[in-house]
Amino acid sequence: MSELIVVEGVSKRYVTSSGPVDALRDISLSVGGGEFCTLIGPSGCGKSTLLGMLGGLVTADAGRVVVDSRPVERPDPRRVATVFQDPGLFPWRTTLENVEFGLELQGVPAARRRQVATDLLGPLGLRDFAAKYPRELSGGMRQRVAIGRALAIDTPIVLMDEPFGALDEQTRVLMGEWLLDIWRRMRKTVVFVTHSLHEALALSTRVVVMTARPGRIKSVLELPMPYPRAMESSELVALRAKLWSDIRDESLRAMGEPHP
Amino acid sequence: MKVLAIRVAIVVALLGAWEIVGRTANPLLYVPPSAAVPALGRLLARDSYPDLAEHLLLTLREILVAYALAIVAGLGCGFALGFNRLVGRAYGPILAALYAVPAVVWYPSLMLFFGLDAASKIAFGFLLGFFPITLAVLAGIRQVSPQMLVVARAFGADGLTAFRKVTLPAMLFTLVGGLRTGLALTVIGVIVGEILGSKSGMGSLINHAYGLFRTADYIALVVVTLVLIVGSDALASAVEHRAQRWTD
């Protein structure tokens, strides 16, 4: 498998008012084309920092980050698109105009970008909401608009930072199924950050468990099973137990630490 | 429809009360509407004040110049303070404190600096209009959610693009509100300046009529000035509504 994303010996330290905080220490990871790779770990373990590095929004103190055989120095919207937990939609733009945003920045002609965005509304389940403003949409719809904005620029890599973290459990499960369908149809490489064991096991081809701060890689779980997955199968139940025991240890450690 | 009926009723009641009080009181000080309307006719026919148009134009010109200066300086100051955290923290509180001072206390010194002609009126109108515009820019910049700027950066926006596509539309409504308040205060500043000390402009005519006990003419002049003020505010309000439709 060709390695689309390579992270080598990456560290990051933040300086806060109460002293320096080691967010990441010596992380190495590679993600192949077409993978759905999930980062999971306790709060504050640096998952989002790592994702920010892949997207060029955060610079590493040490080590290197290579995407599509180029070192990452700044956001590169031709290769990488990002979906954030806070969708950050523009309230003065309609659904369609929000989805078009990235193409507009790339100077794609108006008619062309309107076409691309309109074609995406079907798979996004937003066809009837093209002219609505974000305040008129539900939380799940808003997040789909944000995902549409990322898909519209048609990058090989999509980074997702807890995209369903703010949604209720039912919506979350349905959104996961929907995302799986989109991912399989569009053949993207996804790096996904979550707190949810269910999401990690139902969606990923690989799960990377990170340790409590400073974030390091604790274990990697390969999930070769086909989709859609029967979450009650003995295989997945066993994997869930294994995953939970790894995360539980780290979460306990994270809880024992005073917050910065 | 109901609102309109109530509004008309209020106006009619007020005019009625005014008429009754005006007829019974000293005719030198109180003029009933039935006498004010003919005075307005004489004013508009250039009978009582033949040079009304020149005065009106001068006032309009003073307002326009003062407002243009207030916009340029207000936007410039606001963005400079808003985008430069250190300067903003140093000068922001001073600005807010100055805004709280009743601006009229500055007027005598403005007349000393700029004389009795148009310049001091422009300076006073500018001074009143400048603060709300600057403060609106500062408030608007604080309103822009950092997350939206992160999104813009992730999608490849440089500083200028992020300003154009995110900051400006996000703060537009607050900005337009500040511009509207700024216009209203500029108009007030210019007219008050003219009333306090001037030989020309609507304020000086008002002062003249009032000083000579030409109360009916005085009321007619006030009505014309009111139309000017209400008209400019209606224009600003229309712009504000457009901005509101466009923004959140």
Side-chain angles (χ1 to χ4, degrees), chain A residues 22-43:
Chain A
D22 275 314
L24 294 174
R25 187 176 293 169
D26 196 23
I27 295 259
S28 294
L29 172 75
S30 47
V31 181
E35 267 200 77
F36 194 119
C37 178
T38 295
L39 307 176
I40 194 166
S43 299

Side-chain angles (χ1 to χ4, degrees), chain A residues 56-57 75 77 80 82 84 86-93 101-102 104-105 135 149-150 153, chain B residues 145 147-157 161 165-167 169-171 245-248:
Chain A
L57 290 167
V80 180
T82 306
F84 301 91
D86 170 355
L89 298 180
F90 304 114
W92 57 90
R93 286 174 169 251
F101 179 72
E104 197 177 311
L105 290 193
R135 64 175 177 277
R149 181 171 62 189
I153 56 175
Chain B
S145 103
Q147 178 63 16
M148 289 200 276
L149 292 171
V150 170
V151 169
R153 201 153 74 86
F155 280 82
T161 310
K165 298 273 182 191
V166 179
T167 307
M171 64 184 291
R245 259 217 329 252
W246 195 55
T247 337
D248 189 1

Side-chain angles (χ1 to χ4, degrees), chain A residues 44-63:
Chain A
C45 74
K47 311 180 289 278
S48 296
T49 301
L50 183 55
L51 209 66
M53 283 179 184
L54 299 182
L57 290 167
V58 178
T59 48
D61 295 337

